[in-house]
Amino acid sequence: MKIPFSPPYINQAVIDEVTDSLKSGWITTGPKVKKLEDLVCEYVGVPNTLCVNSATSGLMLALKWYGIGPGDEVIVPAYTYSATALAVMHVGATPVMVDVNSDFNISVAAIEKAITHKTKAIMPVDIAGWPCDYDEIQELVENKKSLFKAESEKQTVLNRIITIADAAHAIGAKYKNRYVGLTADITVFSFHAVKNITTAEGGAVSLNLPEPFNNQEEYNYMRCFALNGQTKDAFTKSKAGGWKYDIIYPGMKINMPDVLAAIGVAQMPEYFSHILAKRETIYNYYQDYFKTKSWAIIPPCKNANKLSSCHLYALRIKDITEEQRDAIIDKISSEGVAVNVHFQPLPLLTLFKNMGYKIEDYPMAYDNFKSEISLPIYPQLTEHELEYIVNTVENAVESCLC
């Protein structure tokens, strides 16, 4: 049996929506993108959302919007995909890495120790779709106001460290009965091909800024900035007599096209009506199976305050080395089941090693990584395939640990 790791969910509704976009004659940013933005706002509950070409671009846009650049520091977890730190580097700021908890997410205690007068933002990451400790992070930035030094217009208005959530995995996740998106000042979702909702490539910047900010005005600013700082998008310019425009910001070109947004437009209602529940059912199947195994550390899914989006099933094997974990993966893969690892901590990667980051400074990140195996989790999986996956994993673990 061959079981892929994370194929996209493409049904007839998606095909019809994309076909409609192609037939309309309008394939770049236009009505489908606006519809997707409205759907994110409708389902998540945020005031405003801007769709862009990737979550990485969305993080960069949020950082630039807040005036973050050279000389500034942004706190990020050491356990995340490289894009979190790269977005910081692309705007000229310095990523300050901190360790994580055993649930994979950033440690609030580690954040507190890392805050300096140079800290302008904290970027928590909801690994696997499990929400971070948002209230504790927000309380921390309020308590550290005396260290904050505003150096831009937006910084002067907020007058504290901004929280920009890298929620690439977490659309549909809940924290204290609120959807992730209502839990930080700005939240960036990913619609990459392997995410719970996809647009092939893409992301969304959801605004939840406190007063006195006007979220609609800030959306308008970001929308302009995401289109080279141009006052009119191509859809508006294409209308009779609408050719004239101006460039008012040194913007980026990171807009999402309609032909891709159409995929998300079709997927969004189905995701919140039943696909998210299907992912949770599969997650719970794994939980019920592996909780009986003495060698398994099962990942968090639900507690009194948090509900995962079930993006990844991050199984860990107790008391094993990185080499043993890799041998287990090789055994599983040889039986036709595609698995993965999420993630290599940033200090293990050459770029960050060369910048002076050392994995020894992040013991929990490494401990999580060395024993982690991500299992397939997507709505197309059948019960027969799930049985094959868990049996294959069990056999691989027990054969490698003998």
Side-chain angles (χ1 to χ4, degrees):
M1 187 178 293
K2 299 289 184 183
I3 300 177
F5 180 70
S6 185
Y9 180 77
I10 305 297
N11 63 1
Q12 191 59 47
V14 170
I15 294 169
D16 290 345
E17 197 72 49
V18 173
T19 301
D20 181 68
S21 181
L22 293 171
K23 287 181 176 179
S24 75
W26 193 264
I27 59 175
T28 189
T29 304
K32 298 285 187 189
V33 171
K34 188 63 173 69
K35 175 64 174 176
L36 182 57
E37 292 175 349
D38 291 344
L39 285 170
V40 174
C41 292
E42 176 184 344
Y43 284 103
V44 176
V46 290
N48 294 90
T49 294
L50 176 73
C51 285
V52 290
N53 66 349
S54 72
T56 309
S57 296
L59 292 171
M60 292 170 59
L61 177 60
L63 292 165
K64 282 181 172 287
W65 170 85
Y66 202 53
I68 294 173
D72 295 330
E73 295 178 349
V74 177
I75 296 174
V76 302
Y79 196 98
T80 182
Y81 183 59
S82 60
T84 311
L86 290 175
V88 177
M89 294 166 64
H90 285 320
V91 302
T94 300
V96 175
M97 296 181 197
V98 301
D99 209 357
V100 296
N101 300 316
S102 61
D103 67 355
F104 298 99
N105 284 348
I106 194 166
S107 163
V108 176
I111 294 173
E112 184 171 14
K113 292 177 182 177
I115 292 174
T116 72
H117 68 281
K118 294 182 179 180
T119 307
K120 291 296 189 291
I122 298 168
M123 291 175 61
V125 182
D126 305 304
I127 299 292
W130 181 244
C132 293
D133 297 317
Y134 282 106
D135 282 359
E136 289 86 347
I137 294 170
Q138 289 295 128
E139 183 180 354
L140 183 58
V141 299
E142 290 293 336
N143 291 340
K144 295 293 183 177
K145 274 188 172 182
S146 61
L147 281 177
F148 186 77
K149 181 182 178 182
E151 296 177 318
S152 73
E153 178 188 349
K154 308 299 184 186
Q155 291 175 20
T156 300
V157 174
L158 188 59
N159 195 34
R160 62 165 169 79
I161 297 166
I162 191 171
T163 55
I164 302 173
D166 180 343
H169 296 176
I171 193 163
K174 285 186 175 181
Y175 176 78
K176 296 186 177 179
N177 295 316
R178 297 171 290 166
Y179 280 117
V180 167
L182 293 169
T183 47
D185 299 314
I186 298 176
T187 299
V188 179
F189 298 111
S190 174
F191 297 143
H192 179 263
V194 301
K195 297 304 190 292
N196 289 18
I197 297 172
T198 185
T199 56
E201 294 282 358
V205 182
S206 289
L207 305 182
N208 185 46
L209 296 162
E211 294 182 345
F213 284 109
N214 180 307
N215 283 280
Q216 179 64 51
E217 290 179 1
E218 303 309 330
Y219 163 85
N220 293 341
Y221 172 92
M222 288 190 182
R223 185 169 181 265
C224 179
F225 202 95
L227 281 162
N228 292 320
Q230 184 172 289
T231 54
K232 291 184 180 179
D233 61 27
F235 189 70
T236 304
K237 284 171 59 185
S238 70
K239 296 179 180 179
W243 63 270
K244 196 170 186 179
Y245 65 90
D246 195 6
I247 300 293
I248 55 176
Y249 308 121
M252 302 185 289
K253 183 66 167 63
I254 58 171
N255 57 300
M256 177 187 285
D258 266 26
V259 71
L260 297 187
I263 305 172
V265 167
Q267 287 193 353
M268 187 76 65
E270 294 193 40
Y271 177 70
F272 280 94
S273 68
H274 65 275
I275 293 175
L276 181 54
K278 174 66 173 175
R279 298 185 76 99
E280 186 175 352
T281 297
I282 294 168
Y283 203 107
N284 288 333
Y285 179 94
Y286 287 145
Q287 296 286 70
D288 290 342
Y289 190 88
F290 291 115
K291 71 183 181 183
T292 65
K293 309 304 174 186
S294 62
W295 43 259
I297 304 172
I298 59 175
C301 180
K302 179 190 287 188
N303 65 22
N305 291 327
K306 299 180 183 183
L307 178 65
S308 177
S309 69
C310 301
H311 174 60
L312 298 171
Y313 189 83
L315 179 68
R316 282 170 289 172
I317 314 302
K318 289 180 182 177
D319 302 323
I320 63 169
T321 65
E322 184 180 343
E323 291 73 23
Q324 287 175 309
R325 189 275 313 278
D326 292 349
I328 292 168
I329 288 177
D330 288 344
K331 179 67 173 173
I332 295 170
S333 301
S334 72
E335 298 298 325
V337 177
V339 294
N340 213 319
V341 174
H342 291 86
F343 294 98
Q344 295 184 76
L346 301 182
L348 288 177
L349 304 174
T350 298
L351 171 66
F352 301 107
K353 281 183 186 177
N354 291 343
M355 292 171 64
Y357 297 101
K358 299 177 181 178
I359 192 60
E360 293 79 14
D361 295 331
Y362 312 96
M364 185 57 72
Y366 182 73
D367 193 58
N368 287 339
F369 157 73
K370 73 180 178 64
S371 61
E372 195 271 341
I373 303 172
S374 301
L375 306 187
I377 178 168
Y378 46 88
Q380 302 96 306
L381 285 168
T382 66
E383 187 170 348
H384 179 59
E385 289 172 326
L386 289 170
E387 290 175 0
Y388 184 77
I389 291 168
V390 295
N391 288 329
T392 299
V393 172
E394 181 178 12
N395 292 337
V397 171
E398 295 187 351
S399 67
C400 290
L401 296 185
C402 288

mmCIF file of all heavy atoms in Angstrom, residues 65-104:
data_model
loop_
_atom_site.group_PDB
_atom_site.id
_atom_site.type_symbol
_atom_site.label_atom_id
_atom_site.label_comp_id
_atom_site.label_asym_id
_atom_site.label_seq_id
_atom_site.Cartn_x
_atom_site.Cartn_y
_atom_site.Cartn_z
ATOM 1 N N TRP A 65 5.012 46.899 8.285
ATOM 2 C CA TRP A 65 3.929 47.797 8.694
ATOM 3 C C TRP A 65 4.227 48.420 10.052
ATOM 4 O O TRP A 65 3.953 49.604 10.278
ATOM 5 C CB TRP A 65 2.615 47.024 8.737
ATOM 6 C CG TRP A 65 1.482 47.780 9.363
ATOM 7 C CD1 TRP A 65 0.646 48.662 8.750
ATOM 8 C CD2 TRP A 65 1.082 47.742 10.746
ATOM 9 N NE1 TRP A 65 -0.260 49.183 9.654
ATOM 10 C CE2 TRP A 65 -0.008 48.633 10.878
ATOM 11 C CE3 TRP A 65 1.531 47.040 11.862
ATOM 12 C CZ2 TRP A 65 -0.656 48.831 12.090
ATOM 13 C CZ3 TRP A 65 0.892 47.244 13.073
ATOM 14 C CH2 TRP A 65 -0.189 48.127 13.174
ATOM 15 N N TYR A 66 4.834 47.640 10.946
ATOM 16 C CA TYR A 66 5.128 48.138 12.290
ATOM 17 C C TYR A 66 6.450 48.894 12.346
ATOM 18 O O TYR A 66 6.873 49.325 13.416
ATOM 19 C CB TYR A 66 5.123 46.977 13.291
ATOM 20 C CG TYR A 66 4.878 47.412 14.725
ATOM 21 C CD1 TYR A 66 3.777 48.199 15.053
ATOM 22 C CD2 TYR A 66 5.737 47.036 15.745
ATOM 23 C CE1 TYR A 66 3.547 48.607 16.361
ATOM 24 C CE2 TYR A 66 5.530 47.428 17.058
ATOM 25 C CZ TYR A 66 4.426 48.222 17.354
ATOM 26 O OH TYR A 66 4.196 48.630 18.651
ATOM 27 N N GLY A 67 7.094 49.055 11.208
ATOM 28 C CA GLY A 67 8.326 49.833 11.163
ATOM 29 C C GLY A 67 9.530 49.101 11.698
ATOM 30 O O GLY A 67 10.501 49.723 12.159
ATOM 31 N N ILE A 68 9.516 47.779 11.651
ATOM 32 C CA ILE A 68 10.618 46.982 12.181
ATOM 33 C C ILE A 68 11.692 46.811 11.118
ATOM 34 O O ILE A 68 11.399 46.493 9.963
ATOM 35 C CB ILE A 68 10.106 45.612 12.674
ATOM 36 C CG1 ILE A 68 9.172 45.828 13.874
ATOM 37 C CG2 ILE A 68 11.255 44.684 13.037
ATOM 38 C CD1 ILE A 68 8.475 44.584 14.354
ATOM 39 N N GLY A 69 12.950 47.016 11.508
ATOM 40 C CA GLY A 69 14.046 46.933 10.552
ATOM 41 C C GLY A 69 15.380 46.775 11.259
ATOM 42 O O GLY A 69 15.452 46.275 12.390
ATOM 43 N N PRO A 70 16.452 47.220 10.621
ATOM 44 C CA PRO A 70 17.803 47.075 11.199
ATOM 45 C C PRO A 70 17.895 47.648 12.606
ATOM 46 O O PRO A 70 17.369 48.734 12.888
ATOM 47 C CB PRO A 70 18.677 47.860 10.214
ATOM 48 C CG PRO A 70 17.949 47.757 8.908
ATOM 49 C CD PRO A 70 16.486 47.824 9.268
ATOM 50 N N GLY A 71 18.555 46.891 13.481
ATOM 51 C CA GLY A 71 18.711 47.302 14.871
ATOM 52 C C GLY A 71 17.624 46.791 15.793
ATOM 53 O O GLY A 71 17.772 46.857 17.019
ATOM 54 N N ASP A 72 16.535 46.294 15.212
ATOM 55 C CA ASP A 72 15.423 45.786 16.013
ATOM 56 C C ASP A 72 15.560 44.281 16.222
ATOM 57 O O ASP A 72 16.178 43.569 15.421
ATOM 58 C CB ASP A 72 14.087 46.074 15.327
ATOM 59 C CG ASP A 72 13.797 47.558 15.217
ATOM 60 O OD1 ASP A 72 14.253 48.319 16.096
ATOM 61 O OD2 ASP A 72 13.121 47.963 14.249
ATOM 62 N N GLU A 73 14.948 43.796 17.289
ATOM 63 C CA GLU A 73 14.935 42.374 17.600
ATOM 64 C C GLU A 73 13.500 41.848 17.597
ATOM 65 O O GLU A 73 12.572 42.539 18.033
ATOM 66 C CB GLU A 73 15.567 42.114 18.971
ATOM 67 C CG GLU A 73 17.045 42.469 19.037
ATOM 68 C CD GLU A 73 17.652 42.248 20.414
ATOM 69 O OE1 GLU A 73 16.881 42.026 21.375
ATOM 70 O OE2 GLU A 73 18.895 42.298 20.519
ATOM 71 N N VAL A 74 13.349 40.634 17.094
ATOM 72 C CA VAL A 74 12.048 39.958 17.075
ATOM 73 C C VAL A 74 12.246 38.573 17.691
ATOM 74 O O VAL A 74 13.092 37.802 17.237
ATOM 75 C CB VAL A 74 11.492 39.831 15.645
ATOM 76 C CG1 VAL A 74 10.172 39.068 15.661
ATOM 77 C CG2 VAL A 74 11.298 41.211 15.022
ATOM 78 N N ILE A 75 11.473 38.269 18.714
ATOM 79 C CA ILE A 75 11.611 36.982 19.410
ATOM 80 C C ILE A 75 10.815 35.913 18.672
ATOM 81 O O ILE A 75 9.619 36.083 18.393
ATOM 82 C CB ILE A 75 11.153 37.103 20.865
ATOM 83 C CG1 ILE A 75 12.064 38.083 21.613
ATOM 84 C CG2 ILE A 75 11.141 35.740 21.550
ATOM 85 C CD1 ILE A 75 11.620 38.387 23.036
ATOM 86 N N VAL A 76 11.488 34.804 18.352
ATOM 87 C CA VAL A 76 10.879 33.680 17.643
ATOM 88 C C VAL A 76 11.273 32.380 18.351
ATOM 89 O O VAL A 76 12.290 32.326 19.038
ATOM 90 C CB VAL A 76 11.338 33.625 16.164
ATOM 91 C CG1 VAL A 76 11.007 34.922 15.438
ATOM 92 C CG2 VAL A 76 12.827 33.314 16.055
ATOM 93 N N PRO A 77 10.491 31.315 18.165
ATOM 94 C CA PRO A 77 10.886 30.030 18.740
ATOM 95 C C PRO A 77 11.998 29.382 17.921
ATOM 96 O O PRO A 77 12.050 29.550 16.695
ATOM 97 C CB PRO A 77 9.603 29.203 18.668
ATOM 98 C CG PRO A 77 8.845 29.779 17.515
ATOM 99 C CD PRO A 77 9.166 31.254 17.512
ATOM 100 N N ALA A 78 12.872 28.652 18.592
ATOM 101 C CA ALA A 78 13.917 27.906 17.879
ATOM 102 C C ALA A 78 13.321 26.723 17.132
ATOM 103 O O ALA A 78 13.923 26.225 16.177
ATOM 104 C CB ALA A 78 14.976 27.416 18.867
ATOM 105 N N TYR A 79 12.134 26.293 17.564
ATOM 106 C CA TYR A 79 11.463 25.141 16.945
ATOM 107 C C TYR A 79 10.354 25.655 16.035
ATOM 108 O O TYR A 79 9.233 25.932 16.475
ATOM 109 C CB TYR A 79 10.882 24.235 18.029
ATOM 110 C CG TYR A 79 10.505 22.847 17.554
ATOM 111 C CD1 TYR A 79 11.361 21.774 17.747
ATOM 112 C CD2 TYR A 79 9.290 22.603 16.931
ATOM 113 C CE1 TYR A 79 11.027 20.496 17.331
ATOM 114 C CE2 TYR A 79 8.941 21.338 16.504
ATOM 115 C CZ TYR A 79 9.808 20.288 16.709
ATOM 116 O OH TYR A 79 9.467 19.027 16.288
ATOM 117 N N THR A 80 10.673 25.826 14.777
ATOM 118 C CA THR A 80 9.711 26.303 13.787
ATOM 119 C C THR A 80 10.317 26.098 12.409
ATOM 120 O O THR A 80 11.491 25.736 12.277
ATOM 121 C CB THR A 80 9.370 27.794 14.003
ATOM 122 O OG1 THR A 80 8.374 28.215 13.044
ATOM 123 C CG2 THR A 80 10.604 28.688 13.826
ATOM 124 N N TYR A 81 9.513 26.335 11.376
ATOM 125 C CA TYR A 81 10.050 26.323 10.022
ATOM 126 C C TYR A 81 10.875 27.594 9.812
ATOM 127 O O TYR A 81 10.624 28.632 10.422
ATOM 128 C CB TYR A 81 8.927 26.230 8.998
ATOM 129 C CG TYR A 81 9.408 26.144 7.573
ATOM 130 C CD1 TYR A 81 10.238 25.100 7.163
ATOM 131 C CD2 TYR A 81 9.069 27.117 6.631
ATOM 132 C CE1 TYR A 81 10.711 25.022 5.867
ATOM 133 C CE2 TYR A 81 9.525 27.036 5.334
ATOM 134 C CZ TYR A 81 10.346 25.989 4.958
ATOM 135 O OH TYR A 81 10.816 25.925 3.669
ATOM 136 N N SER A 82 11.831 27.523 8.920
ATOM 137 C CA SER A 82 12.780 28.621 8.717
ATOM 138 C C SER A 82 12.116 29.940 8.344
ATOM 139 O O SER A 82 12.645 31.012 8.634
ATOM 140 C CB SER A 82 13.800 28.244 7.636
ATOM 141 O OG SER A 82 13.144 27.970 6.401
ATOM 142 N N ALA A 83 10.943 29.883 7.712
ATOM 143 C CA ALA A 83 10.292 31.105 7.240
ATOM 144 C C ALA A 83 10.032 32.098 8.368
ATOM 145 O O ALA A 83 10.045 33.317 8.148
ATOM 146 C CB ALA A 83 8.977 30.762 6.534
ATOM 147 N N THR A 84 9.775 31.605 9.575
ATOM 148 C CA THR A 84 9.511 32.502 10.698
ATOM 149 C C THR A 84 10.688 33.439 10.917
ATOM 150 O O THR A 84 10.524 34.660 11.012
ATOM 151 C CB THR A 84 9.243 31.685 11.978
ATOM 152 O OG1 THR A 84 8.279 30.671 11.711
ATOM 153 C CG2 THR A 84 8.741 32.589 13.085
ATOM 154 N N ALA A 85 11.881 32.877 10.989
ATOM 155 C CA ALA A 85 13.080 33.692 11.203
ATOM 156 C C ALA A 85 13.501 34.425 9.937
ATOM 157 O O ALA A 85 13.996 35.562 10.009
ATOM 158 C CB ALA A 85 14.225 32.810 11.698
ATOM 159 N N LEU A 86 13.317 33.806 8.781
ATOM 160 C CA LEU A 86 13.718 34.456 7.529
ATOM 161 C C LEU A 86 12.926 35.734 7.287
ATOM 162 O O LEU A 86 13.466 36.716 6.770
ATOM 163 C CB LEU A 86 13.542 33.490 6.358
ATOM 164 C CG LEU A 86 14.519 32.320 6.303
ATOM 165 C CD1 LEU A 86 14.156 31.369 5.163
ATOM 166 C CD2 LEU A 86 15.954 32.810 6.135
ATOM 167 N N ALA A 87 11.645 35.729 7.646
ATOM 168 C CA ALA A 87 10.836 36.943 7.481
ATOM 169 C C ALA A 87 11.444 38.096 8.281
ATOM 170 O O ALA A 87 11.492 39.239 7.804
ATOM 171 C CB ALA A 87 9.400 36.679 7.924
ATOM 172 N N VAL A 88 11.916 37.791 9.477
ATOM 173 C CA VAL A 88 12.570 38.807 10.314
ATOM 174 C C VAL A 88 13.840 39.309 9.642
ATOM 175 O O VAL A 88 14.092 40.524 9.561
ATOM 176 C CB VAL A 88 12.891 38.226 11.705
ATOM 177 C CG1 VAL A 88 13.643 39.260 12.555
ATOM 178 C CG2 VAL A 88 11.610 37.785 12.403
ATOM 179 N N MET A 89 14.630 38.381 9.130
ATOM 180 C CA MET A 89 15.887 38.754 8.482
ATOM 181 C C MET A 89 15.651 39.554 7.204
ATOM 182 O O MET A 89 16.411 40.474 6.893
ATOM 183 C CB MET A 89 16.696 37.494 8.183
ATOM 184 C CG MET A 89 17.170 36.762 9.449
ATOM 185 S SD MET A 89 17.772 35.094 9.136
ATOM 186 C CE MET A 89 19.203 35.463 8.102
ATOM 187 N N HIS A 90 14.601 39.238 6.476
ATOM 188 C CA HIS A 90 14.326 39.929 5.213
ATOM 189 C C HIS A 90 13.973 41.402 5.409
ATOM 190 O O HIS A 90 14.123 42.196 4.474
ATOM 191 C CB HIS A 90 13.201 39.222 4.449
ATOM 192 C CG HIS A 90 13.615 37.941 3.794
ATOM 193 N ND1 HIS A 90 14.825 37.785 3.155
ATOM 194 C CD2 HIS A 90 12.969 36.752 3.674
ATOM 195 C CE1 HIS A 90 14.909 36.555 2.671
ATOM 196 N NE2 HIS A 90 13.813 35.909 2.975
ATOM 197 N N VAL A 91 13.498 41.770 6.597
ATOM 198 C CA VAL A 91 13.228 43.186 6.843
ATOM 199 C C VAL A 91 14.411 43.859 7.541
ATOM 200 O O VAL A 91 14.325 45.034 7.910
ATOM 201 C CB VAL A 91 11.930 43.390 7.667
ATOM 202 C CG1 VAL A 91 10.739 42.770 6.955
ATOM 203 C CG2 VAL A 91 12.060 42.855 9.086
ATOM 204 N N GLY A 92 15.501 43.107 7.717
ATOM 205 C CA GLY A 92 16.722 43.670 8.277
ATOM 206 C C GLY A 92 16.848 43.572 9.777
ATOM 207 O O GLY A 92 17.839 44.036 10.354
ATOM 208 N N ALA A 93 15.858 42.979 10.438
ATOM 209 C CA ALA A 93 15.892 42.853 11.896
ATOM 210 C C ALA A 93 16.612 41.567 12.306
ATOM 211 O O ALA A 93 16.968 40.738 11.462
ATOM 212 C CB ALA A 93 14.478 42.889 12.457
ATOM 213 N N THR A 94 16.775 41.380 13.602
ATOM 214 C CA THR A 94 17.494 40.230 14.136
ATOM 215 C C THR A 94 16.527 39.267 14.812
ATOM 216 O O THR A 94 15.806 39.671 15.746
ATOM 217 C CB THR A 94 18.545 40.676 15.171
ATOM 218 O OG1 THR A 94 19.474 41.559 14.541
ATOM 219 C CG2 THR A 94 19.291 39.472 15.739
ATOM 220 N N PRO A 95 16.488 38.003 14.359
ATOM 221 C CA PRO A 95 15.667 37.022 15.072
ATOM 222 C C PRO A 95 16.365 36.594 16.363
ATOM 223 O O PRO A 95 17.533 36.215 16.349
ATOM 224 C CB PRO A 95 15.564 35.857 14.084
ATOM 225 C CG PRO A 95 16.767 35.976 13.206
ATOM 226 C CD PRO A 95 17.128 37.431 13.161
ATOM 227 N N VAL A 96 15.654 36.693 17.466
ATOM 228 C CA VAL A 96 16.169 36.243 18.756
ATOM 229 C C VAL A 96 15.432 34.950 19.092
ATOM 230 O O VAL A 96 14.234 34.953 19.371
ATOM 231 C CB VAL A 96 15.942 37.298 19.853
ATOM 232 C CG1 VAL A 96 16.372 36.765 21.217
ATOM 233 C CG2 VAL A 96 16.691 38.575 19.514
ATOM 234 N N MET A 97 16.157 33.849 19.045
ATOM 235 C CA MET A 97 15.538 32.539 19.236
ATOM 236 C C MET A 97 15.461 32.183 20.710
ATOM 237 O O MET A 97 16.404 32.423 21.468
ATOM 238 C CB MET A 97 16.328 31.467 18.495
ATOM 239 C CG MET A 97 16.340 31.630 16.999
ATOM 240 S SD MET A 97 17.277 30.309 16.202
ATOM 241 C CE MET A 97 17.539 31.052 14.579
ATOM 242 N N VAL A 98 14.334 31.596 21.089
ATOM 243 C CA VAL A 98 14.166 31.101 22.454
ATOM 244 C C VAL A 98 13.665 29.666 22.402
ATOM 245 O O VAL A 98 13.150 29.203 21.383
ATOM 246 C CB VAL A 98 13.204 31.979 23.277
ATOM 247 C CG1 VAL A 98 13.715 33.412 23.345
ATOM 248 C CG2 VAL A 98 11.790 31.935 22.703
ATOM 249 N N ASP A 99 13.805 28.976 23.517
ATOM 250 C CA ASP A 99 13.423 27.568 23.561
ATOM 251 C C ASP A 99 11.903 27.422 23.678
ATOM 252 O O ASP A 99 11.168 28.401 23.854
ATOM 253 C CB ASP A 99 14.124 26.870 24.729
ATOM 254 C CG ASP A 99 14.375 25.386 24.467
ATOM 255 O OD1 ASP A 99 13.954 24.875 23.414
ATOM 256 O OD2 ASP A 99 15.007 24.729 25.324
ATOM 257 N N VAL A 100 11.455 26.177 23.572
ATOM 258 C CA VAL A 100 10.027 25.863 23.547
ATOM 259 C C VAL A 100 9.672 24.971 24.727
ATOM 260 O O VAL A 100 10.525 24.528 25.485
ATOM 261 C CB VAL A 100 9.653 25.175 22.218
ATOM 262 C CG1 VAL A 100 9.878 26.123 21.050
ATOM 263 C CG2 VAL A 100 10.440 23.872 22.017
ATOM 264 N N ASN A 101 8.380 24.699 24.858
ATOM 265 C CA ASN A 101 7.886 23.769 25.865
ATOM 266 C C ASN A 101 7.801 22.357 25.291
ATOM 267 O O ASN A 101 8.001 22.150 24.089
ATOM 268 C CB ASN A 101 6.500 24.201 26.349
ATOM 269 C CG ASN A 101 6.496 25.577 26.972
ATOM 270 O OD1 ASN A 101 7.380 25.918 27.755
ATOM 271 N ND2 ASN A 101 5.498 26.382 26.633
ATOM 272 N N SER A 102 7.409 21.411 26.109
ATOM 273 C CA SER A 102 7.268 20.035 25.637
ATOM 274 C C SER A 102 6.108 19.860 24.675
ATOM 275 O O SER A 102 6.016 18.837 23.985
ATOM 276 C CB SER A 102 7.097 19.085 26.827
ATOM 277 O OG SER A 102 5.937 19.409 27.574
ATOM 278 N N ASP A 103 5.200 20.857 24.593
ATOM 279 C CA ASP A 103 4.098 20.791 23.624
ATOM 280 C C ASP A 103 4.493 21.398 22.278
ATOM 281 O O ASP A 103 3.639 21.626 21.432
ATOM 282 C CB ASP A 103 2.849 21.495 24.168
ATOM 283 C CG ASP A 103 3.015 23.001 24.325
ATOM 284 O OD1 ASP A 103 4.133 23.521 24.102
ATOM 285 O OD2 ASP A 103 2.023 23.674 24.660
ATOM 286 N N PHE A 104 5.798 21.669 22.085
ATOM 287 C CA PHE A 104 6.387 22.205 20.853
ATOM 288 C C PHE A 104 6.332 23.735 20.761
ATOM 289 O O PHE A 104 7.061 24.327 19.976
ATOM 290 C CB PHE A 104 5.736 21.625 19.587
ATOM 291 C CG PHE A 104 5.868 20.149 19.426
ATOM 292 C CD1 PHE A 104 4.831 19.296 19.786
ATOM 293 C CD2 PHE A 104 7.019 19.587 18.899
ATOM 294 C CE1 PHE A 104 4.940 17.922 19.625
ATOM 295 C CE2 PHE A 104 7.145 18.215 18.728
ATOM 296 C CZ PHE A 104 6.105 17.375 19.106
#
